[in-house]
Amino acid sequence: MVDWKLAVATATRLVRPGPEVSRDEAREVVAELRRHAKTSEEHVRAFTRMSPPPPGPGEDPDAVDTPVLVVDRAGWIKANVAGFRALLGPLLEKMQNRRGSAPGGAVLGAVGGKVTGVELGMLLSFLASRVLGQYETFAPATRDLPGAEGGGGRLLLVAPNIVHVERELEVDPHDFRLWVCLHEETHRTQFTAVPWLRDHIEGEIQAFLGETEVDPATLLERIREAAQALVGGRGPEDGEGERESRSIVDLVQTPAQREILARLTAVMSLLEGHADYVMDGVGPQVVPSVVEIREKFQQRRATGAGRLDQALRKLLGLDAKLRQYRDGERFVRAVVDEVGMDGFNRVWTSPNTLPTKAEIAKPADWVARVHGRTDS
């Protein structure tokens, strides 16, 4: 269904070259990012009061920890293709079985796999020059890209992108690298300190994929309706009766998928907002120019790199991710202000204490539900 090797080859061929750096400078950047990642671990755990559970009897602490890898754009592409392959496996198997029983299914599958591989490669080439760091939750370990035992779990820091942005923003490079590491290390801490979180999110994603329509005629009709809605400026109404801007991915979803996506959106808003909150909370203590960095980075997030970049972000639904940072950070800040950090950390107790999408917008409702407290 997907030619994964072609996806890697396409993305690697199309991705923009990174910024010009000397060999010595590249070594220095890699070494500094590794140092900052280690330092960030201490700062984040102290600020959040979150730590991984201690290793069991006879368990090697290094074996259960998740590694930090400093990679280039090609390394990020390879890691994400491996992650997609693992996560989409059940859905692609279902689609393969459906297509295999149809006349000419094998030929269509071979051709379709090439087309999909190129399309995925093009998408990854676009993203590979923009991602500063990523905690890979589901990626399998490989010889080149190790991960934690049990499958999944590694932090990627994309060195050329970090250098590119720090130069573009004209900020102190050492401060900026530490600032980025604080955000990404928070994600690493979230998943290592909350062991059930990975399985919960994977279960939601597999439930979402399980609802995917594999009948070509039905899917084609949905895509046609989505295209008409986008061209005509139509879209589902939000809770206040206004038309809500949606990506084409949103518009081809089933009602069941929208319910699952609402839960996933709430979780991702929590994770991203929590990382931003921690980054800002720790920043003033250890990053001297944090105010300047934050202001310039927020402007960059909001405006994008140009018209093409903005159009692609909207089509792919990346604008929704920007809202997750903003809405999630407001939720975390409001809850911590109300019940303190320990009170906020009850969010990690179980899936039942995670906020809903509505509670992300109204933190007081989460406080009332989980802590039994109201404003009155």
Side-chain angles (χ1 to χ4, degrees), residues 230 246-249 310-319:
L230 288 172
R246 291 183 181 271
S247 69
I248 194 169
V249 177
Q310 292 176 24
L312 286 170
R313 287 194 328 188
K314 184 174 183 179
L315 179 63
L316 298 172
L318 299 182
D319 280 345

Side-chain angles (χ1 to χ4, degrees), residues 225-236 243-246 251 314:
E225 292 175 356
Q228 291 172 349
L230 288 172
V231 171
R234 296 181 293 108
R243 292 296 179 184
E244 185 177 3
S245 175
R246 291 183 181 271
L251 293 169
K314 184 174 183 179

